[in-house]
Amino acid sequence: MINRQLLHPKSIAIVGASNTISKPGGKIIKNLVDFGFDGEIYAVNPKETQVQGIPSFSSVEELPSVDLAVLAIPAKFCLETVRILTEQNDTKAFIIISAGFGETDDAGKKLEQEIADIVNQNNACLIGPNCVGVMTPQHTSVFTTPVPKLTPDGCDFISGSGATAVFIIESGIPKGLRFAHVFSVGNSAQTGVEDVLQYLDENYVEGQSSKVKLLYIENIDNPDKLLIHASSLINKGCKIAAIKAGSSSAGSRAASSHTGALTSSDAAVEALFRKAGIVRCYGREELTTVASVFMCKELKGRKLAIVTHAGGPGVMLTDALEDGGLKIPHIGESSAKTILKEKLFSGSSVENPIDFLATGTAAQLGEIIDTCENDFDVDGMAVIFGSPGLFPIGDVYNLLSEKMKTCRKPIYPILPSLINVKEDVAHFLSHGNVNFPDEVLLGRALTKVINTPNPAPKKDTPGFVSSVKIREIIGQTENGYQPPEIIHRLFDEVGIPRVKEIVAKTEPEAVLAALEVGFPLVMKVVGPIHKTDVGGVILNVRNTSEVRKEFYHLNEIEGSEGVLIAQMASGTELFLGAKYEQNFGHIILCGMGGIFVEVLKDVSSGLAPLSKEEALSMIKSLKSYKILKGYRKQPGVNISGFADIIVGLSWLLRFATEIKELDINPFLGNENEILAVDARLRIERLPS
Amino acid sequence: MINRQLLHPKSIAIVGASNTISKPGGKIIKNLVDFGFDGEIYAVNPKETQVQGIPSFSSVEELPSVDLAVLAIPAKFCLETVRILTEQNDTKAFIIISAGFGETDDAGKKLEQEIADIVNQNNACLIGPNCVGVMTPQHTSVFTTPVPKLTPDGCDFISGSGATAVFIIESGIPKGLRFAHVFSVGNSAQTGVEDVLQYLDENYVEGQSSKVKLLYIENIDNPDKLLIHASSLINKGCKIAAIKAGSSSAGSRAASSHTGALTSSDAAVEALFRKAGIVRCYGREELTTVASVFMCKELKGRKLAIVTHAGGPGVMLTDALEDGGLKIPHIGESSAKTILKEKLFSGSSVENPIDFLATGTAAQLGEIIDTCENDFDVDGMAVIFGSPGLFPIGDVYNLLSEKMKTCRKPIYPILPSLINVKEDVAHFLSHGNVNFPDEVLLGRALTKVINTPNPAPKKDTPGFVSSVKIREIIGQTENGYQPPEIIHRLFDEVGIPRVKEIVAKTEPEAVLAALEVGFPLVMKVVGPIHKTDVGGVILNVRNTSEVRKEFYHLNEIEGSEGVLIAQMASGTELFLGAKYEQNFGHIILCGMGGIFVEVLKDVSSGLAPLSKEEALSMIKSLKSYKILKGYRKQPGVNISGFADIIVGLSWLLRFATEIKELDINPFLGNENEILAVDARLRIERLPS
């Protein structure tokens, strides 16, 4: 568990310290010294009396009391070292960078667990083993470089892979990305990505804590913890972006239902991130670009002005932003526009993009930005300014830097000339700014951020759902596929509408049932198995005299035990299903039925339970949404009703984790109502 | 027109030469001197006797004979200067970097045309005006930096924007991209992007000319020229990637047909690039990444081995490549695999990705690469190797560089540690290698390259198409929408199947017609306008006795002039249409009908005329292709027949450019046949 000793140690001991800076135990000391850690550094190395100018202790027993110990010694010595440090030196935080633990074999797994047990018994913190270390604004206990600029307003970055963390930092630094804390969690023997996030959430202090969190995750061990603390942080005003590597490798799994085949564990990740409000990224470059967007002020609408001194990049950025649903609105005539035009060189264009030509000056850029800030109906600006290499353009970048701080609206700087004005760009970044060298990568990152939904509000169980009654019904079931009666009771309990069905034993009962169900209706013989073969299914029965006639015929069929009178549903075929995913809970999938689900795989996913807003957002993210809401003269389906059903289903699943798979099929909707015609539902209790 | 004097000048005069290197006329001289141009450089500046150590002439009249003149003087002096140089100095090549021409106003447009006229009369070459200049392996007549490494095997790069060209070069250099020729064509008064490409095609010399061409285009003035020379170059073994900026801005146009509304000019660009085999890119980063892929050996299949010393990037690359249709195949057991495993450290994985751990050595990498090259069933390799910053890894990069040259299979190097091992990466690039710092951007670029079709083969008119007969029919038409007779004749001419229709005046005629058309069929009264209202349409007529009966009824209807006996088509609704786009010719769009075209906009486009391979490729690139070819137990439509119809239509349009819009609708297909039920066709001749 993260603690003060890890984040703000007064003293750090490097066990396995070395004079060779190409060794981890040497590089950590060098990093701490170079960084200027202002507490005590102790080296432990039996063969040295000094390590890089720091007095060295021959064993941990000789150390004074120490807050944080970093272990860079062979795995086999770590357990004993941790034991001594906790018992004798009051050490409350450990970073074990050594490898040879759980990633190697079962013995290593056992060893790291024993270490974690000791640490836990002493209420201490363990990061690793098999990690590159931890950086905070106070210390840099890592054996890797580069060490980025560490300031409290930088990004908090938690990585499940040490090497990838290094490469991500290397991708971020040239963009001006600053960091606050970097945690490489390694094998997560005690502290995983989710645990660090929990700490950052529970100890969040408005105005002091970083607002940007970046995650690189290879396995999500505790989706619930991730969801709770990611949502909570975002609700506090933070932004979170994450890579979950391995989206393709999971592959499909053997399963008996549509939903099973459609639900890869990646759909669970997708649903989790969506519910939490996490911006999902697929590569290092994308993660650091999204992080740079986060470091700018928040874009509070979709309208952007593009300000450029070169046509090409302005056009390419327009394409990328409009492709992602942002607007580059035409700037209508106004006195502000007229006044601005007069301040620019002849040939400049105050449409959008606003092109102030290759000869444009810093003063003109200032006028444009001020007019966008105060007069034009835009929510932010993207400013493109490079150089052909004739002269320095520091004045332009200084103005830009100044305006980025003073304007209310966000300004995204695109400074492409990383060679021609290398020094000017470096100076610009040194003022705490980020830079987006490529306008199209910025465009894609910005639209990705804008299109990520807010975290789902945490909702209490809706009034119409009774967990007691759901549990009562579930208590009466056995494992396996459930009979219609059970499914009907469960659906009725959470308000999933289904076709009306009544069994009639006599002709008067049939007529009463028909009046109850309404016309047109379907009549089916009850008893015989192959109903159609014996003429036992009559569609489209339209009035009571037909009911009487058909009752007579059906009742005559051999084996008849009565006649089922059922509502005849019609409309667009929909799809709704769910699957239980270990650790994640129920993934709910919805879509338009038929080829849309089966061939085009057009489904969207959510994690139960779902709010109505989430259900609507799921439906609206379907490609087939345009069809579902109706198009041209074609009527659509009742979208609000569809969302209500998804919500009801999600609460049913919330209280019945025994349901492992569920498909509603056929499932038909029109403008007025949506009806479940039939469903498959499998219950499987874990062996107790 | 490009000539020897532009590419290999023996002498270059800079008119408007300056001692101030922050001025274009100063920077060009500096660039030429720094580059070490080995011909004569002459400066022209009335106020100086020397410019940057070079003797200066006070006017162009005083110059000796000179091959290439670069003009960096005000626009108003350019015409006279060009006149004198052509008349007195035998100058055959001009680069005018001055602005103030066609981009400013009509007078400027006229002025640049006058200059082009003089240049043309003298059989000379003009680049610009309003450009940054030209670079070749022989000289660097540009006023911008950076000057990239210029070698004959680098990329040929032609840009419609000077500033964008600079930014693209700045994006390419850090990746190791080399250039051969860079042309900034500016206002293209004489020589546009297409003209340069034509020159590169017509003067292509196998083994000497660059194999990679990059284009940045804002307007395609001559699509035919682009198509012919791009295809020709690619057929000679070249690779071409291009950005066409402005994909979103064109917007939709008012038009009376489906096809009109669906055909933006971007669809024309898409169709053109597809036909030419050009890889379309949407940003600078993407263009230079694709260019770097081109600089590697060609990937001749879809199976790739990923070799990595860090898990994360390997997984992210796998995701990106599989997402784009490449395969990271499982490596099955074999003696080669067993032998390789023994050479790697314990814990290494010889699955795919092949992970040889953070401690992996150069020698081990060599073994892995050799085994992939000689034993494993893969077509290429991606090698990921970064550094946590402990020690240099030059030995690994030297080995990689060596293997990239000696292996037959392409190797894509992903060296992410641009900060930690900056010098090692620079050394690697200095051997003529490229680097892909981000694995996901490489993954997307590589799949884009692999998924771009080859140029369409140039085909002669198919034997079944008679241009004479098509012209004969067109000659009998008037402007406007055409009557069914004309459409039928045109369709029959190029083999577009349509429903059989015969008009019968008598009962025996009706029966004969029915036997000809086949059952089931449709009978319609001829004469009355509102046929349905008068009961004049009978569907699903199934035998001759029904024909007789219905003929009697239909003939009785007031105003009847006969009865139309028509084939009753059935099947999946398809879509096929075309629109004439100025300069481009006919864009043909195909798709699955109904919501797929109308709501989901799932159409693909091609430029007439089309080969069968192109037509098939169009159909296969549809999202609905999975449905069209049949899925599960649902039969599909006759794909080969659909392609034949697209080819026939394309040749009809090829010989009838008067056809401005055409929609086939309804258009129905099943497993056996595809039939046009009706069509709209508009002819519009340009006023002569």
Side-chain angles (χ1 to χ4, degrees):
Chain A
M1 305 303 108
I2 310 285
N3 54 24
R4 193 274 301 162
Q5 287 84 351
L6 180 76
L7 301 179
H8 292 250
K10 297 199 174 83
S11 51
I12 304 176
I14 313 302
V15 186
S18 170
N19 276 310
T20 311
I21 61 161
S22 64
K23 288 185 178 173
K27 193 56 162 280
I28 292 184
I29 301 234
K30 182 172 191 313
N31 279 342
L32 284 168
V33 171
D34 288 353
F35 176 74
F37 172 62
D38 70 357
E40 294 299 324
I41 308 178
Y42 306 117
V44 180
N45 183 329
K47 295 178 190 154
E48 307 279 354
T49 53
Q50 267 210 344
V51 171
Q52 299 181 48
I54 290 165
S56 173
F57 296 77
S58 66
S59 72
V60 287
E61 280 94 340
E62 295 171 23
L63 282 173
S65 166
V66 62
D67 276 357
L68 166 64
V70 184
L71 275 57
I73 51 177
K76 60 184 173 185
F77 301 128
C78 287
L79 177 62
E80 188 54 22
T81 302
V82 168
R83 191 192 312 276
I84 295 168
L85 284 164
T86 52
E87 287 175 3
Q88 301 182 13
N89 306 77
D90 199 29
T91 302
K92 289 291 185 196
F94 295 89
I95 298 171
I96 303 183
I97 63 171
S98 323
F101 287 91
E103 82 284 5
T104 307
D105 54 23
D106 285 345
K109 182 87 198 151
K110 189 163 163 282
L111 184 57
E112 76 184 41
Q113 188 52 54
E114 287 170 3
I115 295 172
D117 289 344
I118 294 177
V119 170
N120 285 333
Q121 284 154 23
N122 287 279
N123 229 350
C125 170
L126 169 62
I127 298 291
N130 189 26
C131 71
V132 307
V134 171
M135 290 185 258
T136 78
Q138 281 69 41
H139 70 108
T140 55
S141 298
V142 287
F143 72 86
T144 56
T145 54
V147 172
K149 198 168 177 184
L150 294 160
T151 57
D153 66 342
C155 308
D156 285 333
F157 172 33
I158 317 169
S159 180
S161 155
T164 311
V166 170
F167 303 156
I168 287 171
I169 292 168
E170 289 189 285
S171 163
I173 288 175
K175 300 188 178 75
L177 212 57
R178 305 181 305 284
F179 292 82
H181 300 86
V182 177
F183 300 89
S184 159
V185 297
N187 295 359
S188 305
Q190 184 210 45
T191 313
V193 171
E194 299 91 329
D195 304 303
V196 179
L197 202 68
Q198 174 178 16
Y199 178 87
L200 295 176
D201 177 28
E202 292 174 351
N203 295 275
Y204 179 82
V205 180
E206 178 65 34
Q208 289 179 28
S209 302
S210 164
K211 294 241 177 217
V212 177
K213 317 289 172 194
L214 308 180
L215 314 177
Y216 173 82
I217 313 174
E218 297 195 339
N219 298 296
I220 302 178
D221 294 321
N222 195 333
D224 262 0
K225 193 178 269 189
L226 184 61
L227 173 61
I228 290 167
H229 297 293
S231 313
S232 167
L233 281 163
I234 295 171
N235 285 328
K236 288 170 184 169
C238 292
K239 308 280 172 195
I240 305 183
I243 297 174
K244 163 68 179 73
S247 60
S248 64
S249 55
S252 63
R253 301 181 190 182
S256 63
S257 68
H258 277 164
T259 314
L262 287 164
T263 316
S264 68
S265 64
D266 197 61
V269 173
E270 194 67 40
L272 176 70
F273 279 23
R274 187 182 181 86
K275 196 176 191 75
I278 296 171
V279 178
R280 187 170 187 187
C281 299
Y282 289 87
R284 296 181 287 113
E285 181 68 30
E286 188 174 63
L287 183 73
T288 55
T289 306
V290 166
S292 300
V293 169
F294 287 164
M295 298 302 273
C296 299
K297 285 172 185 165
E298 191 174 348
L299 181 64
K300 290 183 173 158
R302 289 187 169 253
K303 296 196 288 285
L304 219 65
I306 294 175
V307 184
T308 183
H309 76 143
V315 178
M316 290 188 277
L317 180 57
T318 304
D319 290 349
L321 291 171
E322 294 206 330
D323 192 43
L326 269 75
K327 306 282 171 227
I328 313 301
H330 172 75
I331 291 172
E333 295 308 317
S334 67
S335 57
K337 180 173 172 177
T338 308
I339 293 167
L340 177 60
K341 264 196 125 163
E342 282 164 9
K343 291 177 178 159
L344 305 183
F345 291 134
S346 154
S348 297
S349 161
V350 187
E351 304 308 317
N352 198 4
I354 299 171
D355 189 337
F356 68 119
L357 308 182
T359 46
T361 67
Q364 289 173 334
L365 179 60
E367 298 287 351
I368 296 169
I369 291 176
D370 287 347
T371 313
C372 287
E373 169 80 358
N374 300 315
D375 301 299
F376 292 162
D377 180 22
V378 294
D379 306 303
M381 295 157 249
V383 175
I384 301 166
F385 206 98
S387 163
L390 290 176
F391 39 76
I393 49 177
D395 58 335
V396 176
Y397 290 180
N398 285 339
L399 174 123
L400 187 59
S401 178
E402 176 68 23
K403 292 291 180 193
M404 284 172 67
K405 288 179 178 54
T406 55
C407 286
R408 286 166 296 111
K409 297 177 182 174
I411 301 178
Y412 304 98
I414 296 137
L415 316 182
S417 291
L418 299 187
I419 297 175
N420 276 337
V421 285
K422 190 176 171 180
E423 292 76 17
D424 291 330
V425 173
H427 183 72
F428 176 80
L429 298 183
S430 74
H431 283 106
N433 297 309
V434 292
N435 174 33
F436 302 90
D438 188 88
E439 55 278 352
V440 173
L441 296 183
L442 162 65
R444 292 185 185 153
L446 186 55
T447 56
K448 181 163 259 198
V449 169
I450 285 279
N451 290 326
T452 299
N454 288 327
K458 223 186 143 180
K459 281 270 178 78
D460 295 331
T461 311
F464 67 88
V465 174
S466 160
S467 64
V468 175
K469 289 190 183 158
I470 291 171
R471 294 309 310 160
E472 193 181 303
I473 302 166
I474 294 292
Q476 294 161 9
T477 63
E478 295 184 4
N479 282 354
Y481 286 101
Q482 298 302 307
E485 300 78 53
I486 293 291
I487 297 174
H488 291 172
R489 287 173 61 195
L490 288 169
F491 280 15
D492 291 350
E493 201 49 57
V494 295
I496 299 175
R498 55 189 177 84
V499 293
K500 286 186 203 151
E501 291 181 352
I502 300 170
V503 173
K505 301 278 188 185
T506 66
E507 190 186 298
E509 272 179 34
V511 171
L512 282 174
L515 293 171
E516 169 75 21
V517 162
F519 295 102
L521 53 78
V522 180
M523 294 174 70
K524 294 181 197 176
V525 66
V526 177
I529 296 180
H530 301 293
K531 295 176 168 56
T532 313
D533 296 352
V534 294
V537 179
I538 314 293
L539 298 173
N540 206 21
V541 177
R542 281 174 295 192
N543 53 48
T544 50
S545 74
E546 285 185 25
V547 169
R548 284 182 221 275
K549 189 183 79 182
E550 299 297 352
F551 182 85
Y552 176 78
H553 289 306
L554 293 171
N555 215 22
E556 292 287 287
I557 292 171
E558 195 180 325
S560 169
E561 298 163 8
V563 172
L564 183 84
I565 313 284
Q567 195 177 354
M568 204 165 96
S570 67
T572 302
E573 207 181 320
L574 301 173
F575 171 78
L576 185 58
K579 181 164 181 289
Y580 185 82
E581 188 80 17
Q582 194 60 41
N583 294 337
F584 283 81
H586 284 102
I587 320 301
I588 295 177
L589 274 79
C590 75
M592 190 168 148
I595 50 171
F596 284 88
V597 162
E598 290 173 32
V599 183
L600 302 180
K601 313 289 180 208
D602 178 29
V603 291
S604 70
S605 57
L607 265 187
L610 293 161
S611 68
K612 182 144 183 187
E613 293 72 29
E614 282 176 278
L616 285 169
S617 158
M618 280 171 68
I619 298 169
K620 286 178 184 170
S621 71
L622 291 167
K623 290 192 197 79
S624 55
Y625 173 62
K626 288 180 193 167
I627 302 163
L628 291 176
K629 71 174 181 182
Y631 67 100
R632 304 212 174 158
K633 286 170 188 165
Q634 297 296 314
V637 306
N638 182 339
I639 300 290
S640 173
F642 192 7
D644 286 335
I645 293 171
I646 295 173
V647 173
L649 175 67
S650 81
W651 283 98
L652 165 59
L653 298 168
R654 168 75 183 77
F655 294 119
T657 49
E658 295 88 347
I659 299 176
K660 292 296 178 285
E661 285 181 81
L662 185 153
D663 272 347
I664 304 184
N665 181 24
F667 187 46
L668 298 169
N670 58 36
E671 283 170 295
N672 304 312
E673 60 179 359
I674 298 177
L675 292 172
V677 179
D678 205 349
R680 277 157 67 90
L681 188 158
R682 186 169 66 81
I683 282 184
E684 191 72 47
R685 292 170 180 81
L686 296 176
S688 55
Chain B
M1 304 306 108
I2 311 285
N3 54 23
R4 193 273 303 163
Q5 287 83 350
L6 179 76
L7 300 179
H8 292 249
K10 296 199 175 83
S11 52
I12 305 176
I14 313 302
V15 186
S18 170
N19 275 311
T20 311
I21 61 161
S22 64
K23 288 185 178 172
K27 194 56 165 279
I28 291 184
I29 301 235
K30 182 173 191 312
N31 279 342
L32 283 168
V33 170
D34 287 354
F35 176 75
F37 172 62
D38 69 358
E40 294 297 326
I41 308 178
Y42 305 118
V44 180
N45 183 329
K47 295 180 192 154
E48 307 280 352
T49 53
Q50 267 211 343
V51 171
Q52 300 182 50
I54 290 166
S56 175
F57 295 78
S58 64
S59 72
V60 286
E61 282 93 342
E62 295 174 23
L63 281 173
S65 165
V66 63
D67 276 357
L68 166 64
V70 184
L71 274 57
I73 51 176
K76 60 183 170 183
F77 301 128
C78 287
L79 177 61
E80 188 54 21
T81 303
V82 168
R83 192 192 312 276
I84 295 167
L85 284 165
T86 50
E87 289 174 1
Q88 300 182 13
N89 305 79
D90 197 27
T91 303
K92 289 291 183 195
F94 295 89
I95 298 171
I96 303 183
I97 64 172
S98 324
F101 288 91
E103 82 284 5
T104 307
D105 54 23
D106 285 345
K109 181 88 198 152
K110 188 162 162 284
L111 184 58
E112 75 183 42
Q113 189 51 55
E114 287 171 2
I115 295 173
D117 290 345
I118 293 178
V119 171
N120 285 332
Q121 284 154 23
N122 287 278
N123 229 349
C125 170
L126 168 63
I127 299 290
N130 188 28
C131 71
V132 306
V134 170
M135 290 185 257
T136 77
Q138 280 69 41
H139 71 108
T140 56
S141 297
V142 289
F143 72 87
T144 56
T145 54
V147 172
K149 197 168 174 182
L150 294 160
T151 58
D153 65 341
C155 308
D156 285 334
F157 172 32
I158 316 169
S159 181
S161 155
T164 311
V166 170
F167 304 156
I168 287 171
I169 292 168
E170 289 190 286
S171 163
I173 289 175
K175 299 187 180 74
L177 213 56
R178 305 181 305 283
F179 292 82
H181 299 85
V182 176
F183 301 88
S184 160
V185 298
N187 295 358
S188 307
Q190 182 209 44
T191 312
V193 172
E194 299 90 329
D195 303 304
V196 180
L197 202 67
Q198 175 178 14
Y199 178 87
L200 296 177
D201 177 27
E202 291 174 351
N203 295 275
Y204 179 83
V205 180
E206 177 67 32
Q208 288 179 30
S209 303
S210 165
K211 294 241 176 215
V212 176
K213 317 289 172 194
L214 308 179
L215 315 177
Y216 173 82
I217 313 175
E218 296 193 340
N219 298 297
I220 301 178
D221 295 319
N222 194 333
D224 262 0
K225 193 178 270 191
L226 184 62
L227 173 62
I228 290 166
H229 297 292
S231 313
S232 167
L233 281 163
I234 296 172
N235 285 329
K236 288 170 184 169
C238 292
K239 308 280 172 194
I240 305 183
I243 297 174
K244 163 67 180 73
S247 60
S248 65
S249 54
S252 62
R253 302 184 189 180
S256 62
S257 69
H258 277 163
T259 313
L262 287 164
T263 316
S264 68
S265 65
D266 197 60
V269 174
E270 195 67 40
L272 176 70
F273 279 24
R274 187 183 183 82
K275 197 176 191 73
I278 296 171
V279 177
R280 187 169 186 187
C281 298
Y282 289 88
R284 296 180 288 114
E285 181 68 29
E286 189 174 63
L287 183 72
T288 54
T289 306
V290 166
S292 300
V293 169
F294 286 165
M295 299 302 272
C296 298
K297 286 174 185 164
E298 190 174 352
L299 181 64
K300 291 184 174 159
R302 290 187 167 253
K303 296 194 288 284
L304 218 65
I306 294 176
V307 183
T308 182
H309 76 144
V315 179
M316 291 188 277
L317 180 57
T318 304
D319 290 349
L321 290 172
E322 293 206 332
D323 193 43
L326 270 74
K327 306 284 171 227
I328 314 301
H330 172 76
I331 291 172
E333 296 308 318
S334 66
S335 58
K337 182 172 172 179
T338 308
I339 293 167
L340 177 60
K341 263 196 124 161
E342 281 164 9
K343 291 177 178 159
L344 305 182
F345 291 135
S346 156
S348 297
S349 161
V350 187
E351 304 308 317
N352 197 1
I354 298 170
D355 188 337
F356 67 119
L357 307 182
T359 46
T361 65
Q364 289 174 335
L365 179 59
E367 297 287 349
I368 296 169
I369 292 176
D370 287 346
T371 313
C372 287
E373 168 81 357
N374 299 314
D375 300 299
F376 292 163
D377 180 22
V378 294
D379 306 303
M381 298 157 247
V383 175
I384 302 167
F385 208 98
S387 164
L390 290 176
F391 40 76
I393 49 175
D395 58 335
V396 177
Y397 290 180
N398 285 339
L399 175 122
L400 187 58
S401 177
E402 175 67 24
K403 292 291 179 192
M404 284 172 68
K405 288 179 177 55
T406 55
C407 285
R408 285 166 295 113
K409 297 177 181 175
I411 301 177
Y412 304 98
I414 297 136
L415 315 182
S417 291
L418 299 186
I419 297 175
N420 276 336
V421 284
K422 190 176 171 180
E423 290 77 17
D424 292 329
V425 173
H427 183 72
F428 177 80
L429 298 183
S430 74
H431 282 105
N433 298 309
V434 293
N435 175 32
F436 302 89
D438 189 88
E439 55 278 352
V440 173
L441 297 182
L442 163 64
R444 291 184 185 153
L446 187 54
T447 56
K448 180 164 262 200
V449 169
I450 285 281
N451 290 325
T452 299
N454 289 326
K458 221 183 146 184
K459 281 268 179 81
D460 294 330
T461 311
F464 67 89
V465 173
S466 160
S467 63
V468 175
K469 290 192 182 155
I470 291 171
R471 293 310 310 161
E472 192 182 303
I473 302 166
I474 295 292
Q476 295 161 13
T477 64
E478 295 186 2
N479 282 354
Y481 286 101
Q482 298 302 308
E485 300 78 52
I486 292 290
I487 297 174
H488 291 172
R489 287 173 60 197
L490 288 170
F491 280 15
D492 292 350
E493 200 51 54
V494 294
I496 299 175
R498 53 187 179 84
V499 293
K500 284 185 204 151
E501 292 181 353
I502 300 169
V503 174
K505 301 276 186 185
T506 66
E507 191 186 297
E509 272 178 33
V511 171
L512 280 175
L515 293 171
E516 168 76 21
V517 162
F519 297 101
L521 52 79
V522 181
M523 293 174 72
K524 295 182 196 174
V525 65
V526 178
I529 296 178
H530 300 293
K531 295 177 170 57
T532 314
D533 297 352
V534 295
V537 178
I538 314 294
L539 298 174
N540 206 21
V541 176
R542 279 174 296 190
N543 52 49
T544 48
S545 73
E546 283 186 26
V547 170
R548 285 181 220 276
K549 189 180 79 183
E550 299 298 351
F551 182 86
Y552 175 78
H553 289 306
L554 292 171
N555 216 21
E556 293 287 287
I557 291 171
E558 194 179 329
S560 169
E561 296 164 7
V563 173
L564 183 84
I565 313 284
Q567 194 176 356
M568 202 164 99
S570 67
T572 302
E573 209 181 318
L574 301 173
F575 172 78
L576 185 58
K579 181 164 182 290
Y580 186 81
E581 189 78 18
Q582 194 61 40
N583 294 339
F584 283 82
H586 284 101
I587 320 300
I588 295 177
L589 274 79
C590 74
M592 191 168 144
I595 50 172
F596 284 88
V597 162
E598 290 173 30
V599 184
L600 303 179
K601 313 287 182 209
D602 178 28
V603 290
S604 70
S605 57
L607 266 187
L610 293 161
S611 68
K612 182 144 185 189
E613 293 71 32
E614 282 177 278
L616 285 170
S617 160
M618 281 171 69
I619 298 170
K620 287 178 184 170
S621 72
L622 291 167
K623 291 193 197 78
S624 55
Y625 173 62
K626 289 180 193 167
I627 302 163
L628 291 177
K629 72 175 178 178
Y631 67 101
R632 301 203 179 164
K633 284 168 190 166
Q634 298 295 315
V637 306
N638 182 339
I639 299 292
S640 173
F642 193 6
D644 286 335
I645 293 171
I646 294 173
V647 173
L649 176 67
S650 80
W651 283 98
L652 165 60
L653 298 167
R654 167 75 184 77
F655 293 119
T657 49
E658 295 88 348
I659 299 177
K660 292 296 178 283
E661 283 181 83
L662 185 153
D663 271 345
I664 304 184
N665 181 24
F667 187 47
L668 298 169
N670 57 36
E671 284 170 295
N672 303 312
E673 61 179 0
I674 298 177
L675 291 172
V677 179
D678 206 349
R680 277 158 66 92
L681 187 157
R682 186 169 67 80
I683 282 184
E684 191 71 48
R685 291 172 181 79
L686 296 176
S688 55

